[in-house]
Structure formats: structure tokens, C-alpha cells
Amino acid sequence: QHALNSGIRRYHVAPVLCQRAKVAMSHFEPNEYINYEKLERNINIVRKRLDRPLTLSEKIVYGHLDDPEKQEIERGKTYLRLRPDRVAMQDATAQMAMLQFISSGLPKVAVPSTIHCDHLIEAQLGGEKDLRRAKDINQEVYNFLATAGAKYGVGFWKPGSGIIHQIILENYSYPGVMLIGTDSHTPNGGGLGGICIGVGGADAVDVMAGIPWELKCPKVIGVKLTGKLSGWSSPKDVILKVAGILTVKGGTGAIIEYHGPGVDSISCTGMATICNMGAEIGATTSIFPYNARMKKYLGKTGRADIAALADEFQQHLVPDSGCQYDQVIEINLSELKPHINGPFTPDLAHPVSDVGAVAEKEGWPVDIRVGLIGSCTNSSYEDMGRSAAVAKQALAHGLKCKSKFTITPGSEQIRATIERDGYAQILRDVGGLVLANACGPCIGQWDRKDIKKGEKNTIVTSYNRNFTGRNDANPETHAFVTSPEIVTALSIAGTLKFNPETDYLTGADGKKFKLEAPDADELPKLEFDPGQDTYQYPPKDGSGQHVDVSPTSQRLQLLEPFDKWDGKDLEDMLILIKVKGKCTTDHISAAGPWLKFRGHLDNISNNLLIGAINIENGKANSVRNALTQEFGPVPDTARYYKKMGVKWAVIGDENYGEGSSREHAALEPRHLGGRVIITKSFARIHETNLKKQGLLPLTFADPADYNKIHPVDKLSIVGLRDFAPGKPLKCIIKHPNGSQETIMLNHTFNESQIEWFQAGSALNRMKELQQKSS
């Protein structure tokens, strides 16, 4: 009766009524079943072939191989053809993904897929007001996504539902699932024992089209956890510590697999926090083994039947004894101290006890202007409870936050439950403002009024990224990342110089007191309150559904195919920009106010590389036009070259394309005439996105050759007629004085990816294959 009263959408039938092979992946798709038998069969085939114990990551990845008997498998080298179980898209990236799917001409998605409206809601006045404003401003986009979802069989989570990764954890992730999502923090689902990987929209289209999805066989980095978390230390501190060890590119090409006795001291949502922020070290994804904490969470979120089934197959949901990792890091949780990372990069790790002194030495502002908790990384019931536990102590001594303070619930279910259980009111009483169930300031959707652009200031957040200008578009905002409870404590104190483990506060009565380490339930004692029903089921037959894209729209634009390769080498390309230092996808295709153009390729291309620093003059968005010799904005210069029929290249530094899964950072240079991106190294998702759109991501065989290319040079890429896997390409550098030199460039293209380049894009190649088939 309780299940019926709470809404049938939240509950499966009791496990005793479920047959072994007939447990639904989600209660939103009752006819799509978990197939552990296939996973088991594939694992056994691969284990016999490799003749060795397998890591958990290998079990789930290889368990989803398209052809486990013939697939070549070598960690870090071969490309795997995989069959993921489902796709998830957030609204900013879903626009381009659905536009590409429409362009494919296919009638319906081949696997369960969902769209989540979380990125387009700007934090301004508070939850309800901001949500109403977003629905009004984004009506055209929401209507497009809702109707496209209905037509092509995609579930639609309306604005206000919550952040995509929290929704996935509550409803879609499960032990052993392979899920791909068009957001870099999709690995959040690893907290429930799934292989959940962030990709670009073109990758999602492959899976939705029923085509095997390609992934370079990941290496596996093992993180062995011993001891037990206690006191002020939290799951967030685990990943902050790992980020300090591995840096922002240390996990590139690898899955981070947590194991060891310390795992059991971490809640399921805490494991999700750790996996979520694995994106900040470049990891393909992160994962924890199935255990009792996951079983408890599945039961509390209405999925006890999945837990019962996972129990039967548990041997395949944990690593084999004796399995080998490519690298092992060991962390003793009993010795782990609270951390705070930043500013400007998520791998600059400091113990909370040291950050105040470091800030004073470095000249960072120690006064905290705003503390922000929530986000896809830290917005669980446990997170909110621990923050409320800190706030309650301050209130008992007559204190409120000295800093401004905001709270972002991760989902409508979390919002409704913390309202019911009093956490939200405690956080308001201490001075907090509860924002909408959305990404908000974490991704730059923040109408910040308390400072002027260019004003030097400090904020502390429980978010995941703190790149320059990411949260508020102010390059002088020093953003630090830490746990929600530390954010709350620091916001009460108002300074980075406060260490809650040792320092005292002064109450309203003038007496000194010390905050006790927070304690809170990992899950509510009562059932979760589901809140408002915000899900739209796709109809059984959407063929009659109309999807409207106005030809005069400024926010949506149907796609035109990119041009095919002409069969020739790329000769005498100009250099649009030689980038100095860090160049993330935020630098290549900024978010914030530009999010409104994510469905309109031509309009959003006006932000191409506007945040990248030009090595020639040390400025952002100022490059020399080689044809006119005038300096101007990067997008304007690219458009001029395109108009004149001139191909161009970009030269980048280390880990180019770090950050978001944002495929616009690949679509825009292709749209404006770019052909080649040459760097010292690439972030995984961005390199794949570039390939998907028909660009050539190449790396210097000798990283020192980066210094041989100058912004005024011309480049020719030689050897494309014989383009083959593993075969380097030549680059001829032509200097203005007439001299030339040749350097070698490496690439990671396999045979099918070379076909993407030759066809002009992966989507073009898909259409060619469809035409041949029919």
C-alpha cells in the first residue's frame, strides 16, 4: 500500500516475485531486463582466452564486448567494440546529440536512453523562482528535447528533476551496468558498481543507433583502501588526495578501480562522489566492487530486486583474487586528513590545516566570499545531513555564516526528503539559500551579484572543477574544492585560515567553542520522499510525433554534413592559434551564458577558443590574421579563413581538451574550417570527439617540437594517402623566411576511425554504411 501511495514509478515488485532473468534495469523501463547471464558468458570466454585473473573493470568492460571470442584485447593499445546497456544525456549536450541522431535518419533508439534537464537553470534568486525563469527562457529547447524524446523513444526528465548523475544513481545505475553519458561526470555511477563513461554526443549516437561503440582498451589503476574514515574526513577527501597524487592527466587511458578493506567504510553515495571526480584526473571511469553498502542503497531506492539478483552474480561484480593492476596506490583512510584543492586546478591538493598559511604565502584571498554545497559530486542525503550537523552546532551558539552560503539539492527526491527531515531549514537558518535541483554555479550558471568582474576573491565549493572563471566567469575568483561539511564550517568562520579540527569559534555569548566532527545517516530512516513526478515516458509509437526546429531559430539549427576528405595531403595550413599552457574545454568552448546556443552550431561557434591564451601576445581571444596581419578575436579570424577557403590548424600544450565531455569543442573548429589539432597530449574524451567530427588530433613525436612551430608559420601534413594505424605522419613547417623543417607526428587512429576522417565525420560514415546496407 505504501508503494502505491508513493507512486508506482519508484518501486519494483517484491524480489520474491521476480524470476532470475526477468529483473528490469529500471522501473521506468519494465520490459528492458538486466542480462547478467550474457555478462557471465562473455567473462568466462575472455578469462579462458587470457588465462589470468581479471580486475572488476575488465570483467564489466569485457563482459560487454560485441565479439568476445575474436576481439583483440591488450590494455592501453587495442580498440574494443562494445555494447553498452544504456545512454544518458544532459540537456546542454542532448541538443547536439539528438540533432545528430535526427540527421542519421534512424526511426528509434536501439537501447534505453534518457534526457535530463539540469544544465540550463541559472542560479539567481532561489529554487522555485529560478526554475520558473528557466522554463520560460528555455521553452523552445525544452520543447525540442521533449518532442524529440517522444519521437525517438527517449525518456525525458523535465527541468527541476535534478542533476543527471544523481538521477542515474537513484534510478538507472546498477552493479555491472555499462552506461555511457554525454557528460564527463557520468562515472558517478561507479558508486553503484557500474562502468559509466563520459562521451561526446556522436558516441552516444553510435550506441543509440545500435552500432558497436569503440573504446581504447583501458589500463587499470588500482587504489587500495585500508583503514576507516572517521571524524572530519570524508569520501571527498579520498579523491582530493588521489587527484594530488595522479594530477589532472594521471588517469588518462585508465579506469580507477578502488578495492581493499577500507571500501566497506564508505557509503554508496560516498563511493559515487569519489568516482564522479575521477573525471578530474582524466580517468576513463572509476568503479567500486559490489558490497553491502550498495545493496542497502538499492533497497532504499526501491530496487531490492536488483540487489537480490546482484547477490546471485556477485562473483562477477568483484575483482578476481590475484588480479594485476597497471599501477597501485594505497591510501590508509584512518590517516587521511580533510583536504581542500585549488585554486584554478582540481589537483592542487592541500590539507585543510595548511591551506590558510599557503594562501597567505601565495597571495590568495583568505576571506571567503561564498561557500557553495551540492552539485552532482556532493548532494546526497548524507552530504546534506553532515552539513546540517555542522550548521546546527553553529546555530546552537548563536552563529550564522559569515560568508554567503548556497545549497544545491542533487535531485527532486533529495530536495523533498531534506525538506521533510528538516535539513533544508537548518541550512536556511544558518544563512543558506536553497537553489534549484540543477547544476547551477558548478557549471557557470550563476548570476553572481556580490562582486565585479576582475575583483580578486575566494569561494569554497563541494563541486568538482575550479578552472579559471568556471563558476562565475570572473578570472580572479579563486575557487577551492572540498567536502560539503568543510565548506559549511569554513563559511561559518568566513576564512581559509580556519581548521575545524583544531580551531575555536566564538559564540554569540562571547564564549569559545569547537565544532564537533559531523555525523549523519547515510540514508533516511523513513523512505525517500519522491517529491513531484517529473518524468515523461516516451510513447510506445512516436512515429506521428512532430519535432519542430524553426529555420529562423537562434537556439536550434539542423545539421549539414561536413565535407569529405579530398584525398590529398593538407598543405600550407595557417595556424589559427598556438595555445600557451592549460587549455580545457572551457577555454575552447565556454559554458555559462553560451549554454543557450548548444543546439545552434553556427551561433555557439562564436565562442571558439576565446579563453585560450595566445603564445604570441599572452592574451586571450586575440590572434594575428595571417592574411591581413591584423589582430582580432579567434572566431572572427577563423571565419575569415573559412570565407577565403584557407584551412587552419591549432597548436596546443599538454592534456589539451581537459575537462568536460563538451563535443562542441570539436564541432566548432570543424565548422569554422579547422582540420588539424597538434598537441603534446590530449584528454581522452576530447581526442575522440575530434576524430568523430573528421578532424586530425595529432601529437608531437618529440614534445620539444612544440617549440619549433611559430604562430606565423605554415604547416603541411604529409602522408594522408597512406594513412594507417600506428604509422606516424610528417609535418613540414614552412617559416616566413623560406626555410623548412620536418617533424614527426603520432596519432591513435584505428582503421574505422581513419574512415571517419575520410568520410568527413563518424556520422557521415554511418550514413554511408546504411546506404550500402540498404
Side-chain angles (χ1 to χ4, degrees):
Q1 186 62 48
H2 177 73
L4 293 172
N5 290 340
S6 298
I8 208 72
R9 64 192 181 90
R10 287 191 60 239
Y11 292 91
H12 283 156
V13 293
V16 294
L17 300 178
C18 296
Q19 295 182 358
R20 184 178 187 186
K22 290 292 184 181
V23 174
M25 285 196 284
S26 164
H27 43 267
F28 295 106
E29 296 126 3
N31 297 318
E32 298 285 351
Y33 303 112
I34 295 174
N35 194 345
Y36 280 150
E37 286 86 356
K38 181 181 178 183
L39 186 77
E40 181 176 58
R41 186 165 58 250
N42 285 5
I43 290 171
N44 289 337
I45 291 170
V46 173
R47 186 187 282 112
K48 185 176 180 180
R49 285 182 54 201
L50 299 181
D51 192 27
R52 61 172 173 80
L54 300 177
T55 68
L56 171 60
S57 309
E58 291 181 304
K59 288 182 178 182
I60 302 177
V61 172
Y62 305 159
H64 286 82
L65 286 171
D66 182 52
D67 186 355
E69 294 178 335
K70 297 179 181 178
Q71 172 72 60
E72 188 179 354
I73 300 171
E74 186 176 355
R75 285 186 196 169
K77 292 189 177 180
T78 57
Y79 278 86
L80 307 178
R81 290 165 62 85
L82 301 163
R83 293 284 185 177
D85 297 303
R86 63 180 309 119
V87 173
M89 300 167 279
Q90 42 96 333
D91 51 353
T93 51
Q95 295 171 63
M96 196 56 68
M98 292 309 296
L99 286 165
Q100 290 177 87
F101 189 82
I102 291 170
S103 182
S104 75
L106 295 168
K108 191 173 182 179
V109 295
V111 300
S113 304
T114 51
I115 294 168
H116 304 257
C117 295
D118 63 357
H119 271 57
L120 301 178
I121 303 169
E122 185 179 51
Q124 188 181 66
L125 301 173
E128 292 184 8
K129 293 178 181 178
D130 293 346
L131 181 57
R132 284 198 301 269
R133 180 169 172 264
K135 287 179 178 178
D136 180 53
I137 292 172
N138 303 308
Q139 182 180 7
E140 179 186 17
V141 171
Y142 292 148
N143 179 64
F144 166 73
L145 293 174
T147 54
K151 185 173 183 64
Y152 297 105
V154 179
F156 180 70
W157 287 86
K158 301 171 188 176
S161 302
I163 305 173
I164 177 173
H165 311 302
Q166 184 68 30
I167 298 291
I168 289 171
L169 199 71
E170 293 172 353
N171 299 281
Y172 297 116
S173 186
Y174 61 83
V177 71
M178 175 171 276
L179 179 153
I180 69 164
T182 61
D183 189 279
S184 55
H185 292 102
T186 301
N188 190 81
L192 257 178
I195 288 290
C196 303
I197 301 176
V199 299
D203 276 331
V205 171
D206 279 355
V207 180
M208 291 191 292
I211 296 172
W213 173 61
E214 289 193 350
L215 176 72
K216 195 170 190 179
C217 188
K219 294 183 178 182
V220 187
I221 297 174
V223 178
K224 184 179 181 180
L225 302 179
T226 60
K228 184 178 181 180
L229 285 174
S230 62
W232 285 92
S233 296
S234 72
K236 186 67 165 276
D237 298 308
V238 176
I239 186 58
L240 294 178
K241 178 74 173 177
V242 171
I245 295 169
L246 288 177
T247 77
V248 290
K249 66 172 188 173
T252 303
I255 293 175
I256 312 297
E257 184 172 313
Y258 294 86
H259 63 284
V263 166
D264 292 336
S265 76
I266 303 173
S267 67
C268 178
T269 51
M271 290 186 262
T273 292
I274 294 167
C275 291
N276 175 293
M277 215 178 140
E280 272 52 75
I281 54 177
T284 301
T285 191
S286 301
I287 191 170
F288 279 82
Y290 178 60
N291 67 0
R293 306 299 280 267
M294 294 183 192
K295 182 175 182 177
K296 185 177 180 181
Y297 183 80
L298 285 167
K300 203 68 173 180
T301 51
R303 295 175 288 171
D305 51 352
I306 294 180
L309 189 64
D311 284 345
E312 293 186 44
F313 288 86
Q314 185 162 8
Q315 63 174 319
H316 303 302
L317 305 174
V318 296
D320 286 342
S321 177
C323 67
Q324 296 297 307
Y325 297 101
D326 294 283
Q327 178 183 351
V328 177
I329 297 167
E330 187 166 334
I331 296 175
N332 185 339
L333 300 179
S334 300
E335 298 174 355
L336 183 65
K337 290 293 186 180
H339 273 62
I340 182 168
N341 287 22
F344 306 124
T345 184
D347 60 346
L348 185 57
H350 321 273
V352 171
S353 57
D354 297 347
V355 71
V358 174
E360 286 191 320
K361 179 183 176 183
E362 297 293 336
W364 305 332
V366 295
D367 292 337
I368 298 167
R369 297 294 290 267
V370 190
L372 306 100
I373 66 169
S375 82
C376 67
T377 316
N378 278 108
S379 57
S380 68
Y381 185 82
E382 181 182 34
D383 289 328
M384 296 293 124
R386 285 173 67 88
S387 293
V390 175
K392 196 172 182 180
Q393 295 179 62
L395 290 168
H397 289 84
L399 296 186
K400 290 190 175 185
C401 291
K402 287 186 179 179
S403 311
K404 290 181 181 294
F405 185 51
T406 70
I407 302 98
T408 302
S411 68
E412 170 61 8
Q413 179 166 276
I414 292 295
R415 183 208 63 77
T417 306
I418 65 171
E419 288 286 2
R420 181 197 68 194
D421 293 352
Y423 291 166
Q425 191 56 50
I426 292 171
L427 296 171
R428 286 193 192 96
D429 290 344
V430 85
L433 174 67
V434 178
L435 301 175
N437 314 322
C439 300
C442 184
I443 59 163
Q445 284 284 47
W446 186 15
D447 185 19
R448 190 177 179 190
K449 301 292 189 184
D450 64 299
I451 59 160
K452 295 179 181 178
K453 191 168 184 178
E455 183 180 344
K456 198 172 180 181
N457 75 103
T458 284
I459 65 173
V460 292
T461 82
S462 69
Y463 301 165
N464 40 51
R465 290 194 177 133
N466 55 354
F467 302 144
T468 302
R470 178 175 175 86
N471 302 122
D472 61 3
N474 179 15
E476 290 300 326
T477 292
H478 294 57
F480 293 84
V481 177
T482 186
S483 68
E485 52 266 46
I486 293 293
V487 171
T488 307
L490 293 180
S491 299
I492 292 165
T495 174
L496 286 177
K497 296 170 71 175
F498 178 70
N499 176 11
E501 287 191 303
T502 58
D503 295 343
Y504 286 79
L505 294 168
T506 302
D509 58 2
K511 295 181 180 179
K512 292 187 179 297
F513 71 98
K514 195 168 81 166
L515 293 169
E516 297 294 327
D519 186 33
D521 294 331
E522 64 179 281
L523 294 165
K525 290 183 172 65
L526 302 174
E527 298 300 325
F528 275 110
D529 183 339
Q532 299 180 44
D533 187 349
T534 53
Y535 180 71
Q536 172 185 293
Y537 288 87
K540 289 183 179 179
D541 181 5
S543 59
Q545 177 70 52
H546 179 65
V547 181
D548 184 31
V549 178
S550 169
T552 59
S553 172
Q554 293 301 301
R555 297 197 61 177
L556 296 166
Q557 180 186 48
L558 293 174
L559 297 174
E560 295 291 333
F562 290 131
D563 57 303
K564 292 182 65 172
W565 176 55
D566 61 7
K568 302 176 182 177
D569 288 336
L570 294 168
E571 297 183 349
D572 293 335
M573 290 182 295
L574 299 179
I575 296 171
L576 178 66
I577 183 173
K578 182 179 179 182
V579 178
K580 179 182 179 181
K582 184 186 281 279
C583 190
T584 72
T585 48
D586 281 3
H587 295 90
I588 305 167
S589 175
W594 291 94
L595 283 168
K596 61 179 173 286
F597 296 126
R598 285 286 181 86
H600 197 294
L601 180 54
D602 194 56
N603 281 346
I604 200 169
S605 293
N606 289 321
N607 77 1
L608 174 65
L609 286 159
I610 61 175
I613 301 301
N614 179 11
I615 200 169
E616 186 175 5
N617 57 13
K619 295 180 180 180
N621 203 25
S622 175
V623 295
R624 182 194 301 272
N625 184 321
L627 301 180
T628 67
Q629 297 304 310
E630 297 176 354
F631 278 85
V634 183
D636 294 357
T637 307
R639 287 186 186 278
Y640 187 83
Y641 291 164
K642 181 180 180 180
K643 178 182 176 182
M644 302 304 292
V646 176
K647 297 179 176 66
W648 51 263
V650 170
I651 309 301
D653 210 316
E654 294 278 7
N655 207 31
Y656 184 89
E658 170 193 344
S660 169
S661 68
R662 201 167 303 157
E663 71 174 343
H664 295 77
L667 283 158
E668 291 175 34
R670 184 72 167 96
H671 175 64
L672 295 185
R675 285 296 182 270
V676 180
I677 313 292
I678 306 172
T679 71
K680 294 179 183 177
S681 63
F682 286 97
R684 174 192 63 86
I685 300 177
H686 187 59
E687 181 180 21
T688 302
N689 286 345
L690 291 168
K691 292 178 183 178
K692 286 278 185 180
Q693 303 307 333
L695 282 144
L696 282 175
L698 307 173
T699 56
F700 296 104
D702 180 357
D705 287 344
Y706 169 87
N707 298 315
K708 292 181 179 179
I709 299 178
H710 304 289
V712 292
D713 294 337
K714 292 183 178 180
L715 305 178
S716 295
I717 305 299
V718 178
L720 290 176
R721 290 182 181 85
D722 301 314
F723 196 12
K727 185 176 181 181
L729 294 168
K730 288 183 181 179
C731 176
I732 299 173
I733 307 168
K734 299 180 181 179
H735 301 299
N737 63 6
S739 64
Q740 293 185 180
E741 54 186 316
T742 300
I743 61 174
M744 301 305 294
L745 301 174
N746 293 331
H747 64 86
T748 60
F749 281 80
N750 63 16
E751 291 180 359
S752 63
Q753 293 168 351
I754 290 172
E755 291 176 355
W756 300 345
F757 167 73
Q758 293 169 340
S761 71
L763 185 59
N764 288 1
R765 181 57 179 158
M766 181 198 299
K767 291 161 127 178
E768 287 179 356
L769 293 173
Q770 286 174 350
Q771 289 169 358
K772 287 181 180 179
S773 176
S774 59

